[in-house]
Amino acid sequence: MRSDSDLKRELLRHALATLAYRGGKAVRNAPANFAEYSCNATSRTPGQILAHIGDLLDWGLSIARGKQTWRDSGVQNWNQDVERFFSGLKAFDDFWASDRPLEATPEKLFQGPIADALTHVGQIAMLRRMAGAPVKGESYFAAEITVGCVGREQTAPKREFD
């Protein structure tokens, strides 16, 4: 029988796979100038948001390891930050998949860096629509999201809509 701790780890791995699926959809095939799109003078650009998501994933992993460290990495170029997003997800997922002890509760890790990253992925998707390059909506309930699938390659959407 699986322990409560194992079940929570598995749920957080599913949350990371969900973040990979939704985040991948939001960043995939973005227009060349999308990273710099600005809806007003005080808003973050999509490139700044994506870099921040990378920082959140690094921070979450540092918390899980018991050595909380925040690093504001700044924006690279869009493709580098997309790669950082997926490599950060993989590193975080690899930790959750291991038997290494958690130095923070799964609940705190979800409510902090993971939920924050999900919020920011939604912002990128919204900015895509505002920039005239919308991402198709879909029934995420029907999506095939698999624990451990945190890379760039994701299953095709089952039911998209405009």
Side-chain angles (χ1 to χ4, degrees), residues 106-141:
E107 294 85 355
K108 288 285 192 179
L109 287 161
F110 179 79
Q111 79 186 35
I114 295 171
D116 200 13
L118 284 164
T119 296
H120 293 310
V121 162
Q123 291 172 330
I124 291 172
M126 180 186 68
L127 289 169
R128 286 276 305 255
R129 183 165 296 279
M130 292 172 68
V135 175
K136 284 191 173 199
E138 74 175 277
S139 171
Y140 288 105
F141 181 80

Side-chain angles (χ1 to χ4, degrees), residues 79-149:
N79 291 331
Q80 288 174 310
D81 282 328
V82 167
E83 285 306 314
R84 181 172 177 233
F85 169 68
F86 288 114
S87 65
L89 283 166
K90 176 148 180 29
F92 210 179
D93 185 66
D94 286 348
F95 182 85
W96 285 104
S98 76
D99 59 359
R100 288 179 268 177
L102 297 177
E103 301 299 330
T105 66
E107 294 85 355
K108 288 285 192 179
L109 287 161
F110 179 79
Q111 79 186 35
I114 295 171
D116 200 13
L118 284 164
T119 296
H120 293 310
V121 162
Q123 291 172 330
I124 291 172
M126 180 186 68
L127 289 169
R128 286 276 305 255
R129 183 165 296 279
M130 292 172 68
V135 175
K136 284 191 173 199
E138 74 175 277
S139 171
Y140 288 105
F141 181 80
E144 187 178 322
I145 296 174
T146 306
V147 168
C149 185

